[in-house]
Every structure is written in C-alpha cells, then in structure tokens.
Amino acid sequence: MAATDTSQPIHPWWIRASHWLNAFAVLILIASGWRIYNAAPFFPFTLPKALTLGGWLGGALQWHFAAMWLLAANGLFYLAMNLGSGRLASRFFPVSPRAVLRDAKAALQGKLSHADPRRYNSVQRLAYLFAMLDLLVLVLSGLVLFKSVQFPVLREWLGGYEFARRIHFVAMGLLVGFIALHAVMVALVPRTLLTMLSAGRKGSAA
C-alpha cells in the first residue's frame, strides 16, 4: 500500500495551545466554583475546602470571572479554527449510536485500536462533542449568573436565576466526570499525552 502522508503534526500548534489553556481555565473554574457553591449550597452537602480556590466568596468570584473570560475566548478561538480548517467535520463526524456501542464494546474487551492518533474512534467523538456542548451550557448559564439583568431572555430559557445555578452546577459536575474519564484514557494510552506536548509526527504507515 502507498505510504500515508504524515508530514503534518498529529495535533497542530493551535490545538495543543487551546487544549492546555482550556485545561488551565477549567481547573480554576471548578475549584473557584466549588468555593462559590459552598457559600450558598442548594444541595444537602458542601465540598471539601481543600479542593476549592479563592479562600472566601469574593476571592473565589474574582478567580471564577477571570477564568470565565479565558475559557470563553479560548473556546471561540478553538471553534473558529476547527470550523475554518474543516477539522470539526473530519475528526468528530460522523458519529452514530451503533458505532458508539461497537467501539465501547471493543474498548471494554481491550480490542479497540489506538494505532492512529489522528483518528478518533466513535466513543472519543461522542465524548468530545459532549464536552463541547457541556462547556456551551456552562458559558450560557454562567452569563445568567454573571449578568442576570442583561440577559433576561436567556435567564427565562434556563428557568430563572436559581434554576440556572443548578444547571451550572450539574454541567460542571458532568465536566468533572468527563475530565476523570479523559484522565483514565490518557493513563491507558499515555502516548496520547505526548502528542499534546510536542509537534511529534506519527511514523509513516504502509
């Protein structure tokens, strides 16, 4: 078979840069968000103070808003680059329930191939698309919490201010779950981490 062109990096610089900026922003948002939640919990539990950031409500809010702008700007950059380069369509679609179930079964049996890091399997596609949508929900609900008066229509769509708080908290919890699953997958296939740290290129395939 003809050799596959592997002259391009597995992940271009803008993917690697936006990935780590996103990770940094999300970690700050989670830790500061938990501190904000602890100040006025709406579920019958609070989160360990050692896992929070900000020290007090005012400090947590400052951290949270700063990271929010970083996440929003970085997210817009990531989306624009993916759309402009055609990467969104080629890497994340198509995805179907049948393909997801097939690849999930193969993964559980240890038979899912990771030979080509340029190609996402259906489970990865679904997970990354979910993360994108979840981040969008976080940003929209966050806007309601940040500037409720300025976004009355969005506030009503989300069921009011208090319900938007719950949506925001649940969406953050789902993102934490995604991060945990992502960390497990990286631990199982550690070379995927290396592709996010350098412009390494996969060797030619026959």
Side-chain angles (χ1 to χ4, degrees):
M1 296 178 62
T4 301
D5 179 14
T6 56
S7 60
Q8 298 298 317
I10 293 172
H11 298 298
W13 69 267
W14 56 269
I15 286 289
R16 287 176 279 121
S18 59
H19 174 273
W20 292 114
L21 282 173
N22 195 58
F24 176 70
V26 165
L27 288 176
I28 292 177
L29 284 167
I30 291 171
S32 59
W34 285 349
R35 180 65 189 87
I36 295 168
Y37 165 82
N38 282 352
F42 41 79
F43 291 122
F45 64 84
T46 56
L47 297 153
K49 187 176 180 180
L51 298 178
T52 67
L53 175 68
W56 61 298
L57 178 58
L61 286 168
Q62 290 178 346
W63 278 106
H64 205 69
F65 291 148
M68 174 191 74
W69 291 117
L70 175 59
L71 178 71
N74 188 57
L76 288 174
F77 170 77
Y78 174 84
L79 182 60
M81 292 297 288
N82 266 289
L83 288 171
S85 66
R87 187 178 184 276
L88 186 68
S90 64
R91 290 293 182 94
F92 300 105
F93 295 96
V95 60
S96 68
R98 177 177 295 180
V100 170
L101 290 174
R102 180 197 64 217
D103 286 351
K105 181 179 179 181
L108 292 173
Q109 295 174 338
K111 298 179 180 178
L112 190 61
S113 174
H114 297 281
D116 186 359
R118 288 185 173 85
R119 181 184 179 277
Y120 295 150
N121 60 61
S122 294
V123 174
Q124 287 175 303
R125 292 180 181 186
L126 180 63
Y128 292 140
L129 288 171
F130 165 79
M132 293 178 203
L133 290 174
D134 191 55
L135 285 168
L136 177 61
V137 171
L138 278 168
V139 170
L140 293 178
S141 57
L143 284 174
V144 171
L145 304 182
F146 179 50
K147 294 288 186 180
S148 181
V149 175
Q150 285 82 354
F151 296 98
V153 176
L154 182 58
R155 184 184 65 235
E156 293 307 310
W157 282 353
L158 296 181
Y161 181 87
E162 284 301 321
F163 198 68
R165 283 189 71 203
R166 287 156 175 78
I167 291 174
H168 197 70
F169 184 85
V170 171
M172 184 61 76
L174 292 172
L175 184 61
V176 171
F178 167 81
I179 292 170
L181 178 61
H182 188 55
V184 169
M185 296 307 297
V186 168
L188 292 174
V189 190
R191 69 192 180 96
T192 57
L193 176 61
L194 299 178
T195 65
M196 276 295 176
L197 292 172
S198 70
R201 293 167 173 79
K202 179 177 174 284
S204 298

Tab-separated table of all heavy atoms in Angstrom, residues 44-95:
chain	number	residue	atom	x	y	z
A	44	PRO	N	-27.939	19.256	49.800
A	44	PRO	CA	-27.620	18.997	51.212
A	44	PRO	C	-26.181	18.534	51.436
A	44	PRO	O	-25.934	17.578	52.162
A	44	PRO	CB	-28.631	17.913	51.593
A	44	PRO	CG	-28.890	17.181	50.323
A	44	PRO	CD	-28.846	18.237	49.245
A	45	PHE	N	-25.227	19.196	50.804
A	45	PHE	CA	-23.815	18.879	51.023
A	45	PHE	C	-22.969	20.061	50.592
A	45	PHE	O	-23.413	20.915	49.822
A	45	PHE	CB	-23.398	17.621	50.244
A	45	PHE	CG	-23.493	17.766	48.750
A	45	PHE	CD1	-22.460	18.334	48.006
A	45	PHE	CD2	-24.626	17.334	48.066
A	45	PHE	CE1	-22.543	18.481	46.632
A	45	PHE	CE2	-24.726	17.472	46.686
A	45	PHE	CZ	-23.678	18.046	45.969
A	46	THR	N	-21.752	20.104	51.113
A	46	THR	CA	-20.751	21.065	50.646
A	46	THR	C	-19.528	20.274	50.211
A	46	THR	O	-19.421	19.068	50.477
A	46	THR	CB	-20.365	22.064	51.745
A	46	THR	OG1	-19.899	21.347	52.887
A	46	THR	CG2	-21.553	22.932	52.141
A	47	LEU	N	-18.617	20.947	49.550
A	47	LEU	CA	-17.424	20.294	49.015
A	47	LEU	C	-16.226	20.609	49.910
A	47	LEU	O	-16.180	21.672	50.545
A	47	LEU	CB	-17.176	20.768	47.588
A	47	LEU	CG	-18.316	20.382	46.632
A	47	LEU	CD1	-18.413	21.332	45.471
A	47	LEU	CD2	-18.140	18.963	46.154
A	48	PRO	N	-15.252	19.678	49.979
A	48	PRO	CA	-14.085	19.896	50.858
A	48	PRO	C	-13.381	21.210	50.548
A	48	PRO	O	-13.080	21.504	49.390
A	48	PRO	CB	-13.193	18.686	50.551
A	48	PRO	CG	-14.125	17.643	50.038
A	48	PRO	CD	-15.191	18.382	49.293
A	49	LYS	N	-13.119	21.992	51.580
A	49	LYS	CA	-12.495	23.296	51.404
A	49	LYS	C	-11.131	23.178	50.726
A	49	LYS	O	-10.721	24.073	49.974
A	49	LYS	CB	-12.353	23.987	52.759
A	49	LYS	CG	-11.879	25.422	52.664
A	49	LYS	CD	-11.854	26.097	54.024
A	49	LYS	CE	-11.387	27.541	53.905
A	49	LYS	NZ	-11.356	28.204	55.249
A	50	ALA	N	-10.422	22.064	50.987
A	50	ALA	CA	-9.091	21.878	50.398
A	50	ALA	C	-9.139	21.795	48.876
A	50	ALA	O	-8.128	22.017	48.210
A	50	ALA	CB	-8.438	20.623	50.967
A	51	LEU	N	-10.304	21.487	48.310
A	51	LEU	CA	-10.441	21.366	46.861
A	51	LEU	C	-10.929	22.666	46.222
A	51	LEU	O	-11.145	22.706	45.010
A	51	LEU	CB	-11.417	20.237	46.516
A	51	LEU	CG	-11.023	18.827	46.980
A	51	LEU	CD1	-12.110	17.827	46.596
A	51	LEU	CD2	-9.679	18.419	46.388
A	52	THR	N	-11.110	23.707	47.027
A	52	THR	CA	-11.647	24.958	46.500
A	52	THR	C	-10.549	26.002	46.362
A	52	THR	O	-9.453	25.860	46.898
A	52	THR	CB	-12.758	25.502	47.414
A	52	THR	OG1	-12.197	25.901	48.681
A	52	THR	CG2	-13.834	24.453	47.653
A	53	LEU	N	-10.884	27.086	45.653
A	53	LEU	CA	-9.924	28.155	45.387
A	53	LEU	C	-10.567	29.502	45.677
A	53	LEU	O	-11.733	29.718	45.367
A	53	LEU	CB	-9.482	28.105	43.918
A	53	LEU	CG	-8.550	29.213	43.405
A	53	LEU	CD1	-7.181	29.099	44.065
A	53	LEU	CD2	-8.415	29.127	41.893
A	54	GLY	N	-9.823	30.386	46.275
A	54	GLY	CA	-10.305	31.740	46.498
A	54	GLY	C	-10.280	32.164	47.943
A	54	GLY	O	-10.210	33.346	48.248
A	55	GLY	N	-10.371	31.181	48.862
A	55	GLY	CA	-10.299	31.485	50.285
A	55	GLY	C	-11.589	32.005	50.871
A	55	GLY	O	-11.986	31.633	51.966
A	56	TRP	N	-12.260	32.891	50.158
A	56	TRP	CA	-13.540	33.444	50.585
A	56	TRP	C	-14.359	33.720	49.340
A	56	TRP	O	-13.867	33.580	48.207
A	56	TRP	CB	-13.316	34.717	51.419
A	56	TRP	CG	-12.614	35.820	50.685
A	56	TRP	CD1	-11.352	35.781	50.154
A	56	TRP	CD2	-13.135	37.106	50.361
A	56	TRP	NE1	-11.043	36.972	49.546
A	56	TRP	CE2	-12.113	37.821	49.670
A	56	TRP	CE3	-14.334	37.759	50.627
A	56	TRP	CZ2	-12.290	39.117	49.200
A	56	TRP	CZ3	-14.502	39.067	50.175
A	56	TRP	CH2	-13.486	39.724	49.472
A	57	LEU	N	-15.619	34.083	49.521
A	57	LEU	CA	-16.518	34.221	48.374
A	57	LEU	C	-16.022	35.261	47.377
A	57	LEU	O	-16.008	35.017	46.167
A	57	LEU	CB	-17.924	34.585	48.853
A	57	LEU	CG	-18.968	34.807	47.757
A	57	LEU	CD1	-19.112	33.569	46.884
A	57	LEU	CD2	-20.310	35.192	48.381
A	58	GLY	N	-15.591	36.448	47.874
A	58	GLY	CA	-15.121	37.490	46.961
A	58	GLY	C	-13.915	37.052	46.157
A	58	GLY	O	-13.837	37.290	44.951
A	59	GLY	N	-12.962	36.383	46.803
A	59	GLY	CA	-11.774	35.900	46.099
A	59	GLY	C	-12.118	34.839	45.084
A	59	GLY	O	-11.573	34.820	43.964
A	60	ALA	N	-13.046	33.940	45.447
A	60	ALA	CA	-13.461	32.883	44.522
A	60	ALA	C	-14.142	33.476	43.296
A	60	ALA	O	-13.927	33.019	42.163
A	60	ALA	CB	-14.398	31.915	45.231
A	61	LEU	N	-14.968	34.496	43.504
A	61	LEU	CA	-15.643	35.140	42.375
A	61	LEU	C	-14.645	35.788	41.422
A	61	LEU	O	-14.809	35.716	40.199
A	61	LEU	CB	-16.635	36.181	42.885
A	61	LEU	CG	-17.929	35.633	43.507
A	61	LEU	CD1	-18.678	36.746	44.225
A	61	LEU	CD2	-18.805	34.983	42.449
A	62	GLN	N	-13.616	36.417	41.964
A	62	GLN	CA	-12.595	37.043	41.115
A	62	GLN	C	-11.870	36.001	40.269
A	62	GLN	O	-11.651	36.209	39.069
A	62	GLN	CB	-11.609	37.818	41.984
A	62	GLN	CG	-12.201	39.063	42.614
A	62	GLN	CD	-11.220	39.795	43.508
A	62	GLN	OE1	-10.178	39.261	43.877
A	62	GLN	NE2	-11.553	41.022	43.872
A	63	TRP	N	-11.476	34.905	40.885
A	63	TRP	CA	-10.838	33.817	40.139
A	63	TRP	C	-11.794	33.266	39.072
A	63	TRP	O	-11.395	32.996	37.928
A	63	TRP	CB	-10.423	32.692	41.084
A	63	TRP	CG	-9.134	32.903	41.796
A	63	TRP	CD1	-8.949	33.218	43.110
A	63	TRP	CD2	-7.812	32.793	41.235
A	63	TRP	NE1	-7.615	33.317	43.410
A	63	TRP	CE2	-6.897	33.063	42.276
A	63	TRP	CE3	-7.321	32.505	39.970
A	63	TRP	CZ2	-5.513	33.048	42.086
A	63	TRP	CZ3	-5.950	32.490	39.771
A	63	TRP	CH2	-5.060	32.765	40.822
A	64	HIS	N	-13.044	33.093	39.461
A	64	HIS	CA	-14.028	32.473	38.571
A	64	HIS	C	-14.275	33.343	37.339
A	64	HIS	O	-14.290	32.833	36.211
A	64	HIS	CB	-15.337	32.261	39.339
A	64	HIS	CG	-16.181	31.151	38.801
A	64	HIS	ND1	-15.826	29.821	38.890
A	64	HIS	CD2	-17.379	31.161	38.156
A	64	HIS	CE1	-16.755	29.065	38.347
A	64	HIS	NE2	-17.716	29.855	37.879
A	65	PHE	N	-14.456	34.630	37.542
A	65	PHE	CA	-14.735	35.514	36.410
A	65	PHE	C	-13.523	35.651	35.490
A	65	PHE	O	-13.657	35.712	34.261
A	65	PHE	CB	-15.180	36.887	36.912
A	65	PHE	CG	-16.525	36.873	37.578
A	65	PHE	CD1	-16.801	37.743	38.622
A	65	PHE	CD2	-17.514	35.989	37.179
A	65	PHE	CE1	-18.048	37.728	39.245
A	65	PHE	CE2	-18.754	35.961	37.797
A	65	PHE	CZ	-19.025	36.839	38.835
A	66	ALA	N	-12.327	35.698	36.078
A	66	ALA	CA	-11.115	35.780	35.251
A	66	ALA	C	-10.981	34.539	34.374
A	66	ALA	O	-10.701	34.637	33.168
A	66	ALA	CB	-9.888	35.941	36.141
A	67	ALA	N	-11.192	33.361	34.962
A	67	ALA	CA	-11.079	32.115	34.194
A	67	ALA	C	-12.214	31.987	33.188
A	67	ALA	O	-12.038	31.381	32.121
A	67	ALA	CB	-11.077	30.919	35.143
A	68	MET	N	-13.377	32.560	33.513
A	68	MET	CA	-14.517	32.507	32.599
A	68	MET	C	-14.184	33.191	31.270
A	68	MET	O	-14.480	32.660	30.193
A	68	MET	CB	-15.719	33.191	33.242
A	68	MET	CG	-16.933	33.327	32.330
A	68	MET	SD	-18.197	34.417	33.016
A	68	MET	CE	-17.425	36.032	32.763
A	69	TRP	N	-13.550	34.378	31.336
A	69	TRP	CA	-13.208	35.088	30.108
A	69	TRP	C	-12.148	34.332	29.306
A	69	TRP	O	-12.198	34.300	28.071
A	69	TRP	CB	-12.722	36.495	30.431
A	69	TRP	CG	-13.814	37.376	30.953
A	69	TRP	CD1	-13.894	37.960	32.190
A	69	TRP	CD2	-15.016	37.758	30.262
A	69	TRP	NE1	-15.058	38.671	32.306
A	69	TRP	CE2	-15.758	38.583	31.142
A	69	TRP	CE3	-15.527	37.486	28.998
A	69	TRP	CZ2	-16.994	39.129	30.786
A	69	TRP	CZ3	-16.758	38.042	28.647
A	69	TRP	CH2	-17.469	38.843	29.533
A	70	LEU	N	-11.212	33.722	30.019
A	70	LEU	CA	-10.198	32.917	29.328
A	70	LEU	C	-10.839	31.734	28.625
A	70	LEU	O	-10.535	31.443	27.463
A	70	LEU	CB	-9.144	32.431	30.325
A	70	LEU	CG	-8.079	31.475	29.775
A	70	LEU	CD1	-7.303	32.129	28.634
A	70	LEU	CD2	-7.128	31.032	30.894
A	71	LEU	N	-11.750	31.043	29.311
A	71	LEU	CA	-12.435	29.897	28.718
A	71	LEU	C	-13.262	30.314	27.505
A	71	LEU	O	-13.226	29.649	26.464
A	71	LEU	CB	-13.337	29.237	29.762
A	71	LEU	CG	-14.149	28.036	29.262
A	71	LEU	CD1	-13.241	26.840	29.015
A	71	LEU	CD2	-15.247	27.663	30.246
A	72	ALA	N	-13.995	31.415	27.623
A	72	ALA	CA	-14.848	31.860	26.523
A	72	ALA	C	-14.018	32.263	25.302
A	72	ALA	O	-14.321	31.858	24.174
A	72	ALA	CB	-15.717	33.026	26.981
A	73	ALA	N	-12.965	33.047	25.523
A	73	ALA	CA	-12.121	33.481	24.405
A	73	ALA	C	-11.421	32.293	23.763
A	73	ALA	O	-11.360	32.176	22.525
A	73	ALA	CB	-11.096	34.505	24.898
A	74	ASN	N	-10.894	31.401	24.584
A	74	ASN	CA	-10.202	30.229	24.062
A	74	ASN	C	-11.168	29.303	23.324
A	74	ASN	O	-10.826	28.727	22.293
A	74	ASN	CB	-9.524	29.476	25.217
A	74	ASN	CG	-8.623	28.363	24.743
A	74	ASN	OD1	-7.692	28.588	23.974
A	74	ASN	ND2	-8.895	27.144	25.190
A	75	GLY	N	-12.379	29.181	23.859
A	75	GLY	CA	-13.380	28.335	23.216
A	75	GLY	C	-13.785	28.859	21.850
A	75	GLY	O	-13.940	28.092	20.892
A	76	LEU	N	-13.952	30.175	21.731
A	76	LEU	CA	-14.284	30.780	20.437
A	76	LEU	C	-13.151	30.580	19.437
A	76	LEU	O	-13.391	30.301	18.257
A	76	LEU	CB	-14.590	32.260	20.621
A	76	LEU	CG	-15.919	32.597	21.299
A	76	LEU	CD1	-16.018	34.094	21.559
A	76	LEU	CD2	-17.094	32.120	20.456
A	77	PHE	N	-11.920	30.736	19.920
A	77	PHE	CA	-10.758	30.512	19.056
A	77	PHE	C	-10.708	29.061	18.571
A	77	PHE	O	-10.518	28.784	17.380
A	77	PHE	CB	-9.481	30.859	19.826
A	77	PHE	CG	-8.210	30.445	19.131
A	77	PHE	CD1	-7.714	31.181	18.066
A	77	PHE	CD2	-7.501	29.313	19.544
A	77	PHE	CE1	-6.546	30.806	17.417
A	77	PHE	CE2	-6.340	28.929	18.904
A	77	PHE	CZ	-5.858	29.670	17.838
A	78	TYR	N	-10.909	28.122	19.493
A	78	TYR	CA	-10.885	26.691	19.162
A	78	TYR	C	-11.972	26.351	18.141
A	78	TYR	O	-11.723	25.648	17.156
A	78	TYR	CB	-11.068	25.889	20.446
A	78	TYR	CG	-11.205	24.394	20.253
A	78	TYR	CD1	-10.069	23.585	20.130
A	78	TYR	CD2	-12.455	23.781	20.206
A	78	TYR	CE1	-10.190	22.209	19.958
A	78	TYR	CE2	-12.577	22.422	20.033
A	78	TYR	CZ	-11.451	21.635	19.913
A	78	TYR	OH	-11.569	20.281	19.733
A	79	LEU	N	-13.183	26.860	18.378
A	79	LEU	CA	-14.290	26.569	17.470
A	79	LEU	C	-14.045	27.166	16.091
A	79	LEU	O	-14.270	26.504	15.071
A	79	LEU	CB	-15.587	27.106	18.058
A	79	LEU	CG	-16.860	26.834	17.259
A	79	LEU	CD1	-17.081	25.332	17.098
A	79	LEU	CD2	-18.065	27.474	17.943
A	80	ALA	N	-13.572	28.412	16.071
A	80	ALA	CA	-13.316	29.065	14.783
A	80	ALA	C	-12.247	28.331	13.982
A	80	ALA	O	-12.386	28.129	12.766
A	80	ALA	CB	-12.899	30.516	15.017
A	81	MET	N	-11.180	27.908	14.643
A	81	MET	CA	-10.104	27.196	13.956
A	81	MET	C	-10.570	25.826	13.462
A	81	MET	O	-10.209	25.388	12.364
A	81	MET	CB	-8.900	27.041	14.885
A	81	MET	CG	-8.199	28.342	15.211
A	81	MET	SD	-7.466	29.158	13.770
A	81	MET	CE	-6.075	28.067	13.434
A	82	ASN	N	-11.374	25.149	14.261
A	82	ASN	CA	-11.896	23.844	13.850
A	82	ASN	C	-12.825	23.969	12.650
A	82	ASN	O	-12.761	23.154	11.724
A	82	ASN	CB	-12.633	23.182	15.015
A	82	ASN	CG	-11.750	22.252	15.824
A	82	ASN	OD1	-11.374	21.180	15.361
A	82	ASN	ND2	-11.391	22.672	17.020
A	83	LEU	N	-13.672	24.985	12.673
A	83	LEU	CA	-14.589	25.189	11.556
A	83	LEU	C	-13.836	25.632	10.313
A	83	LEU	O	-14.080	25.127	9.206
A	83	LEU	CB	-15.639	26.235	11.932
A	83	LEU	CG	-16.703	25.791	12.941
A	83	LEU	CD1	-17.543	26.977	13.381
A	83	LEU	CD2	-17.588	24.689	12.348
A	84	GLY	N	-12.908	26.588	10.476
A	84	GLY	CA	-12.176	27.118	9.337
A	84	GLY	C	-11.281	26.097	8.667
A	84	GLY	O	-11.114	26.118	7.442
A	85	SER	N	-10.704	25.187	9.463
A	85	SER	CA	-9.798	24.181	8.911
A	85	SER	C	-10.518	22.934	8.415
A	85	SER	O	-9.921	22.072	7.770
A	85	SER	CB	-8.771	23.768	9.974
A	85	SER	OG	-9.421	23.103	11.053
A	86	GLY	N	-11.809	22.826	8.720
A	86	GLY	CA	-12.557	21.618	8.367
A	86	GLY	C	-12.343	20.477	9.334
A	86	GLY	O	-12.863	19.375	9.140
A	87	ARG	N	-11.598	20.727	10.396
A	87	ARG	CA	-11.272	19.664	11.355
A	87	ARG	C	-12.499	19.177	12.119
A	87	ARG	O	-12.596	17.997	12.446
A	87	ARG	CB	-10.213	20.168	12.332
A	87	ARG	CG	-9.659	19.111	13.279
A	87	ARG	CD	-8.590	19.701	14.176
A	87	ARG	NE	-7.977	18.695	15.015
A	87	ARG	CZ	-8.465	18.282	16.177
A	87	ARG	NH1	-9.582	18.827	16.641
A	87	ARG	NH2	-7.846	17.354	16.888
A	88	LEU	N	-13.432	20.084	12.393
A	88	LEU	CA	-14.619	19.697	13.153
A	88	LEU	C	-15.392	18.605	12.425
A	88	LEU	O	-15.786	17.600	13.026
A	88	LEU	CB	-15.514	20.911	13.383
A	88	LEU	CG	-16.723	20.668	14.300
A	88	LEU	CD1	-16.267	20.414	15.732
A	88	LEU	CD2	-17.677	21.850	14.249
A	89	ALA	N	-15.584	18.778	11.139
A	89	ALA	CA	-16.339	17.794	10.357
A	89	ALA	C	-15.557	16.508	10.160
A	89	ALA	O	-16.110	15.405	10.229
A	89	ALA	CB	-16.735	18.385	9.013
A	90	SER	N	-14.250	16.616	9.923
A	90	SER	CA	-13.458	15.423	9.594
A	90	SER	C	-13.100	14.594	10.822
A	90	SER	O	-12.990	13.373	10.724
A	90	SER	CB	-12.179	15.844	8.858
A	90	SER	OG	-11.344	16.629	9.700
A	91	ARG	N	-12.901	15.223	11.972
A	91	ARG	CA	-12.470	14.493	13.161
A	91	ARG	C	-13.620	14.012	14.034
A	91	ARG	O	-13.503	12.983	14.703
A	91	ARG	CB	-11.542	15.374	14.016
A	91	ARG	CG	-10.169	15.619	13.394
A	91	ARG	CD	-9.338	14.353	13.327
A	91	ARG	NE	-8.018	14.583	12.778
A	91	ARG	CZ	-6.932	14.818	13.518
A	91	ARG	NH1	-7.019	14.863	14.817
A	91	ARG	NH2	-5.754	15.019	12.944
A	92	PHE	N	-14.722	14.752	14.081
A	92	PHE	CA	-15.782	14.454	15.040
A	92	PHE	C	-17.053	13.886	14.417
A	92	PHE	O	-17.969	13.499	15.140
A	92	PHE	CB	-16.123	15.711	15.835
A	92	PHE	CG	-14.960	16.259	16.605
A	92	PHE	CD1	-14.306	17.405	16.172
A	92	PHE	CD2	-14.503	15.631	17.743
A	92	PHE	CE1	-13.224	17.915	16.871
A	92	PHE	CE2	-13.424	16.127	18.449
A	92	PHE	CZ	-12.779	17.266	18.020
A	93	PHE	N	-17.116	13.829	13.108
A	93	PHE	CA	-18.284	13.276	12.420
A	93	PHE	C	-17.827	12.318	11.326
A	93	PHE	O	-16.719	12.463	10.809
A	93	PHE	CB	-19.125	14.410	11.821
A	93	PHE	CG	-19.743	15.314	12.850
A	93	PHE	CD1	-19.114	16.508	13.194
A	93	PHE	CD2	-20.926	14.972	13.475
A	93	PHE	CE1	-19.668	17.348	14.148
A	93	PHE	CE2	-21.487	15.803	14.436
A	93	PHE	CZ	-20.862	16.994	14.775
A	94	PRO	N	-18.640	11.329	10.944
A	94	PRO	CA	-19.957	11.036	11.526
A	94	PRO	C	-19.833	10.291	12.854
A	94	PRO	O	-18.791	9.701	13.142
A	94	PRO	CB	-20.601	10.152	10.453
A	94	PRO	CG	-19.436	9.411	9.856
A	94	PRO	CD	-18.295	10.406	9.850
A	95	VAL	N	-20.902	10.334	13.635
A	95	VAL	CA	-20.977	9.558	14.862
A	95	VAL	C	-22.403	9.044	14.988
A	95	VAL	O	-23.352	9.782	14.741
A	95	VAL	CB	-20.579	10.413	16.091
A	95	VAL	CG1	-21.488	11.614	16.252
A	95	VAL	CG2	-20.560	9.581	17.353
